Every structure is written in structure tokens, then in C-alpha cells.
Amino acid sequence: MPAIDKIASRLTLRDGVWVATERSGISYPDEGNDACYQIEDSSFWFHHRNNCIVAAMRRFPPSGPVFDIGGGNGFVSKAIETAGFDPVLVEPGETGIVNAKTRGLGTIVHATLQDAGFRPSSLAAAGLFDVVEHIEDDLGFMEELRTCLRPGGRVYLTVPAYDFLFSDEDVEAGHFRRYTKRTLSNCLAKAGLDIEFASYFFVALPAPIWLFRTLPAKLSRSRPKKEALVSASEHVVPSPLLGKMVDAAFSWEARLIAKAVSLPFGGSCLFVARNPG
């Protein structure tokens, strides 16, 4: 485990968690972490995203601990740990920290990237898994992250794809935008990062997202607010047999990503980028 006090200037250890001395606001409702926590373990979406992340990480391995920035309840961090890598959860939300402790993660930082005060060239690797879309100044954020990465340090990212799929769910989740491979590539390149791999995944999802989220939002400006930010009906498969069929339908994507094959279309983007130093 990294010596957090050696690489961050604004953290103190409290009850086993590194806590920032100052707190900034974030564009993500705290109840979102609790909503995700209720379904993550049974969600085909969260499991497949983990499989794709781990596949990319094995193909382009980190040179040290992976700082999972904005890592929520630690669901991705736990998958990274199970795959044999060393995660450090960095999460500003109170609920996410509580849930991550319940999951038994070893190193937890209760802070944003900025509030933690990570020193220049101190991080071997970072993960941003459906985080950047919550940040209004995404370029400024990526520039700041690059200064924290060691020369040769890698950053792994996932983001929701295509602005034409933007819907009320994006607004409720605090998204500023969705991305294409081109728009995220431009942001990372302007921040001084070299792109090693870029792909879409969830190839089958754009059509249902447009039909059941985007189109209704366009047809009505007065949709009733959903009770939860994350709907269990959209994530949990109702039967084990159907679950196996869904897993089989998506598993080929992770196998191709493991071979660094880029998929041309999908509901999400996955990137691996490197700090050239």
C-alpha cells in the first residue's frame, strides 16, 4: 500500500480513512451512491463494465497502485483488487465511503482529487470510471490529474457515449455531457496525455437508451421524477437463465478489449492514456 501521507499534503487519518481537511462541492448527488450500492452486485451493467476495465488494465498494466478517483462505493476498486492490482479508493461522498468500508477495501481517501493535495508526479496510475462527465471543466481536471501522474503513469477512463443519447437521467445524475471517442481523445490530448487505447463498449445499448430514455425526454418536458437515480429494473436480470444469456451477449466485448481490439460503437467509451513525462 502507498504511504498516503508522503504523497498527499491535505489529508489526515481518521478511523482508518484518509480525510481531506477541506471539502469542495461535487456534481453528483450523495444518494446516488446508495442507489448504486443496492444493485451493483446483481447488475449486469456494473459487472460488464468491471470486466472491460480489468481486461484493459491487464493489457495495459499499471506500474503501481491505481487511485480510483470518484470511485463511489468501491465496486470497481474491489474488482481491481480481485484481479491482483492494488487499488486506492478516492471518493468525496460520505455514503460512498461508508459503503466502501463495508466492502472491506484497504486504503480509502475521503476527498476529491483537488482537496487531497496529491503531490506532482506522485501517482503511478489513476482510474476515472464514469466520473469525468460530472466535471464541468473536464480539460482543467485532466490537466491537474496529469501533473499528479508519474512520467509513464497511466489513467484508465470510462464515460457515457454520444450527446444524442443525453436524457433526463443524465441531468438527474449530474452529467454535463456525454462523449465520443473523438471528443474525449481531444480533451486528453490537450491535457498532454498520450492515448494508448480507445474503444466503445455496450454495443447493444444505444438503441434502447435512445428509445426508453432520450426519446421520452424529447417528447415530454414534464416527466415525473424517478424515485431513484439508478433503476433496478434497468440493471437486474429477472432470472438466472436470462442472466447467463445477457452475460454471453456482452462477454465478447471484454475478450476483444483484452486483445486491444477497438469496438466502433456503443453506449460507453473506455480509454487508456499515459503521461509521457
Side-chain angles (χ1 to χ4, degrees):
M1 291 294 179
I4 298 297
D5 57 332
K6 303 296 184 184
I7 64 173
S9 61
R10 297 197 292 270
L11 297 174
T12 58
L13 189 62
R14 299 177 191 168
D15 298 324
V17 175
W18 292 96
V19 181
T21 54
E22 297 182 5
R23 301 281 181 85
S24 298
I26 56 173
S27 178
Y28 186 74
D30 197 45
E31 64 267 23
N33 279 329
D34 213 24
C36 289
Y37 189 67
Q38 303 304 316
I39 67 169
E40 284 168 335
D41 290 321
S42 55
S43 165
F44 77 90
W45 190 94
F46 284 103
H47 277 279
H48 181 58
R49 184 182 66 162
N50 274 359
N51 290 340
C52 292
I53 290 167
V54 168
M57 205 167 285
R58 284 175 170 155
R59 180 73 183 193
F60 302 93
S63 59
V66 181
F67 285 72
D68 183 6
I69 298 166
N73 305 305
F75 189 69
V76 180
S77 284
K78 200 66 182 177
I80 291 172
E81 182 180 74
T82 301
F85 301 107
D86 184 11
V88 176
L89 179 72
V90 182
E91 167 57 34
E94 186 75 40
T95 302
I97 295 298
V98 172
N99 293 336
K101 289 180 70 175
T102 302
R103 280 205 162 104
L105 289 171
T107 306
I108 300 175
V109 176
H110 188 186
T112 63
L113 173 71
Q114 296 88 340
D115 293 342
F118 290 114
R119 293 185 169 87
S121 302
S122 62
L123 306 185
L128 296 166
F129 305 118
D130 289 82
V131 168
V132 183
E133 66 272 16
H134 295 276
I135 299 168
E136 187 169 12
D137 181 10
D138 53 353
L139 175 57
F141 178 83
M142 294 310 305
E143 289 173 337
E144 182 170 1
L145 176 61
R146 180 180 178 258
T147 67
C148 297
L149 287 172
R150 299 174 188 168
R154 285 185 165 127
V155 56
Y156 309 88
L157 306 93
T158 59
V159 293
Y162 301 118
D163 268 335
F164 73 80
L165 295 178
F166 201 89
S167 70
D168 288 354
E169 279 75 6
D170 291 283
V171 175
E172 290 168 7
H175 295 177
F176 287 99
R177 70 197 71 80
R178 298 172 74 96
Y179 290 87
T180 63
K181 285 203 302 184
R182 174 181 289 183
T183 57
L184 188 54
S185 293
N186 288 342
C187 178
L188 297 176
K190 287 178 181 177
L193 293 163
D194 291 341
I195 297 162
E196 295 185 290
F197 178 69
S199 177
Y200 292 99
F201 64 112
F202 285 120
V203 169
L205 292 190
I209 290 173
W210 192 84
L211 283 172
F212 296 109
R213 291 185 177 182
T214 312
L215 183 60
K218 291 180 180 295
L219 294 177
S220 173
R221 295 188 178 185
S222 58
R223 293 177 63 206
K225 188 173 178 63
K226 293 170 31 174
E227 292 183 4
L229 289 168
V230 182
S231 171
S233 64
E234 295 178 350
H235 282 259
V236 180
V237 179
S239 73
L241 178 59
L242 188 56
K244 290 181 180 179
M245 293 173 64
V246 170
D247 287 342
F250 282 111
S251 61
W252 63 273
E253 295 184 354
R255 290 196 296 271
L256 289 179
I257 289 170
K259 298 176 182 179
V261 176
S262 179
L263 304 175
F265 187 73
S268 294
C269 301
L270 185 152
F271 273 66
V272 181
R274 180 177 174 274
N275 179 17

